[in-house]
Amino acid sequence: MPYPPAQTGTWTALPVQVKAYPKLKVGGQSVIYEAECKFMFTGVQTTASGSVTVTGQETVKLTAKSTKLQKKVLVQGDMMQSTYGNQLKIVTTSKVKTA
């Protein structure tokens, strides 16, 4: 979905920033409890007098929900999607499961 007032354009994701527990690890990797990504938009608004470049940005933040674990962690399938359709989704091969 374009950033208003653009009619067309593209979103570009910047590198994902994560927050992890320093001592909680699974398979040698630190366990993440928060992920955040900034998305940048570049597009065009067409008007009667010509085209105007439109830029914008948004940040999508994914925070761990409560589980039966002592700490909150992001797990397979956790997802956050913005109103513009940008999303962060957890995809992992680790064997941590929650109930």
Side-chain angles (χ1 to χ4, degrees), residues 11-46:
W11 288 96
T12 302
L14 299 180
V16 175
Q17 303 297 312
V18 298
K19 292 182 181 176
Y21 295 108
K23 295 183 180 180
L24 182 58
K25 297 182 185 284
V26 173
Q29 298 291 317
S30 295
V31 175
I32 298 169
Y33 63 89
E34 185 176 286
E36 184 175 286
C37 185
K38 185 178 280 188
F39 293 86
M40 305 298 289
F41 179 83
T42 303
V44 175
Q45 175 191 22
T46 305

Side-chain angles (χ1 to χ4, degrees), residues 19-21 24 31-34 62-75 78 96 98:
K19 292 182 181 176
Y21 295 108
L24 182 58
V31 175
I32 298 169
Y33 63 89
E34 185 176 286
L62 179 58
T63 304
K65 298 175 183 77
S66 293
T67 66
K68 289 186 177 183
L69 294 173
Q70 185 177 4
K71 297 196 179 264
K72 295 180 180 181
V73 300
L74 291 171
V75 296
D78 284 350
V96 174
T98 62

